[in-house]
Amino acid sequence: MRTDTARAAHTGTGATPPTPPETAAVRSGDRRSLPLAALLALATAVFITSLTETLPAGLLPAMSADLAVSESAMGQTVTVYAVGTALTAIPLTAFTAGWRRKRLLLTAMAGFAAANTVTAVSTDYTLTMVARFVAGVAAGLAWALLAGYARRLVPPHLGGRAIAIAMAGIPVALSLGVPAGTFLGKALGWRVAFWAMTVLTAALLAWITAAVPDQPGQRPEARTPMLRVLRIPGVAPVLFVTLGYVLAHTVLYTYIAAFLGDAGLGGQVDRVLLVFGAASLASIWFVGAHIGRRLRALTIGGALLVAVAAAVLAVAADSTPLVYGAVAAWGLGWGGAPTLLQTAVGEAGGESADAAQAMLVTLWNSAMAGGGVVGGLLLDALGAGAFPWSVLALMAPVLAVVLVARTHAFPARRATATG
């Protein structure tokens, strides 16, 4: 998740936001255009961060066998990545707040290239875990600026659309990246999949250098103390919803290969992930088109879809068509969640939206780490069949809070449309 949200996101809170930085689109006089080359570069950065985090989910059996550890231990490569982000997002965001945005993005992506290279060559579990932690640190830098960077590249009225384009990297990573990585890992070995990530990141570094306009960092007077943000009406409910939503998703997604194996679908992991990712891609498109008017309804609908999908997986895992249908519903419920939750916390935070976003980044990745740990414990103690039930238990309070927190956190209609 991301923290450097432009002040244009803060309308509707009773405060007048400072004028956003001048953008290429405004300077050219075309207030309707989108700088697609730059936004797609940011979407590719999102793709790399998301795929680096989740790629082990499709490669756990091969990685665990090669490094001589259990699948639950190998699943902690997702956990340690999230821990790296959760521990460093706030301090690194504060330390680099004044950096030029392009310099910071290039630094973060170079960190991914180094971490994935070490993962690809490592034959030691501990070294692999260190590399994954470093990748998580790089993610903390990247997620802290990507959405805000996207918004600052366009006029205010196109901010929501710009974020939707940048965040499309998440479902593309799930719909194409993880299945492709899983297929590549099966065909040529899991190390090749991580080498491919390094090559892609090197190409992205050149793309960012050539196509992404630079933006300044934050001025010292624009920065807000983190703890003060929790007292702003609406912020705490969004953070609570984020914790439950992400934890529920991660518990099942990290160990999806184990769950499908238990259901007799171990040979269809890549196809199931493809269905999930395609549904996620449709979800983020739909959310991007309607978030300006339907933030609350979309959030409720997404949470309901995830809960229904979990219920079907809990009671009908022996039916292949129902499993695929449930996975599609899960993807539809999850795909737009990053955009919805980020938008909700930014609007609730108002003038303190940057600090609220930093807290969301940390909490999001803490939930990712917690999901890996909880999932590993459930797998060892109760088996893979416990995953859908845990998702149901976590989504119940999420739905309750979204339904109740309708004034500040999840209003029926957003105060402003952002594209």
Side-chain angles (χ1 to χ4, degrees):
M1 302 307 301
R2 322 67 172 148
T3 62
D4 191 20
T5 307
R7 300 307 187 273
H10 303 173
T11 56
T13 61
T16 302
T19 302
E22 187 180 32
T23 66
V26 175
R27 287 195 299 270
S28 68
D30 182 1
R31 298 185 62 83
R32 295 172 298 173
S33 65
L34 288 168
L36 286 179
L39 291 174
L40 290 175
L42 298 185
T44 304
V46 172
F47 172 87
I48 288 173
T49 60
S50 299
L51 184 53
T52 297
E53 183 168 22
T54 57
L55 186 57
L59 302 172
L60 279 185
M63 293 180 71
S64 62
D66 198 8
L67 298 181
V69 296
S70 68
E71 287 191 27
S72 60
M74 206 70 240
Q76 303 316 307
T77 56
V78 176
T79 303
V80 75
Y81 179 107
V83 169
T85 302
L87 291 179
T88 61
I90 289 178
L92 283 181
T93 297
F95 179 74
T96 60
W99 287 27
R100 304 287 300 186
R101 299 294 92 180
K102 190 169 182 175
R103 172 191 173 194
L104 185 57
L105 181 58
L106 288 170
T107 299
M109 300 319 296
F112 277 103
N116 281 322
T117 299
V118 172
T119 302
V121 302
S122 172
T123 58
D124 179 74
Y125 177 72
T126 301
L127 179 59
T128 299
M129 294 291 278
V130 170
R132 294 288 296 173
F133 181 85
V134 171
V137 173
L141 284 174
W143 284 126
L145 68 95
L146 281 166
Y149 205 162
R151 188 183 283 274
R152 293 170 70 180
L153 292 176
V154 300
H157 70 288
L158 294 177
R161 195 170 300 166
I163 290 178
I165 292 172
M167 292 307 104
I170 297 174
V172 171
L174 299 175
S175 63
L176 299 178
V178 175
T182 302
F183 175 81
L184 195 62
K186 289 180 178 179
L188 301 175
W190 65 268
R191 297 181 188 278
V192 176
F194 282 96
W195 274 117
M197 293 295 297
T198 297
V199 172
L200 178 61
T201 306
L204 177 62
L205 288 169
W207 186 0
I208 292 170
T209 300
V212 178
D214 198 6
Q215 292 287 336
Q218 291 179 294
R219 300 183 307 274
E221 62 270 19
R223 303 168 196 170
T224 307
M226 296 290 179
L227 293 180
R228 189 182 304 168
V229 178
L230 286 174
R231 297 196 294 269
I232 299 175
V235 170
V238 177
L239 295 179
F240 178 86
V241 167
T242 299
L243 176 63
Y245 217 133
V246 177
L247 187 60
H249 166 78
T250 308
V251 164
L252 182 56
Y253 191 84
T254 302
Y255 297 96
I256 188 64
F259 175 79
L260 292 174
D262 190 61
L265 298 173
Q268 301 185 41
V269 175
D270 51 352
R271 278 172 280 177
V272 170
L273 290 175
L274 182 62
V275 169
F276 174 84
S280 297
L281 189 60
S283 174
I284 201 169
W285 171 82
F286 189 82
V287 166
H290 297 280
I291 192 172
R293 300 178 302 277
R294 299 286 184 266
L295 174 61
R296 174 179 168 79
L298 289 169
T299 306
I300 293 172
L304 277 173
L305 281 170
V306 173
V308 169
V312 173
L313 292 174
V315 301
D318 57 344
S319 170
T320 299
L322 286 178
V323 167
Y324 274 91
V327 168
W330 176 20
L332 288 172
W334 170 257
T339 302
L340 290 167
L341 295 172
Q342 164 189 287
T343 302
V345 83
E347 294 197 353
E351 292 183 338
S352 301
D354 288 344
Q357 293 282 2
M359 297 182 75
L360 187 64
V361 171
T362 299
L363 191 60
W364 185 287
N365 287 279
S366 297
M368 293 287 289
V373 172
V374 171
L377 293 173
L378 286 172
L379 181 61
D380 289 339
L382 300 175
F387 293 146
W389 296 108
S390 68
V391 173
L392 272 175
L394 289 165
M395 292 306 296
V398 165
L399 275 165
V401 171
V402 175
L403 290 169
V404 171
R406 60 186 304 157
T407 302
H408 299 286
F410 300 99
R413 295 178 64 88
R414 291 179 60 199
T416 59
T418 57

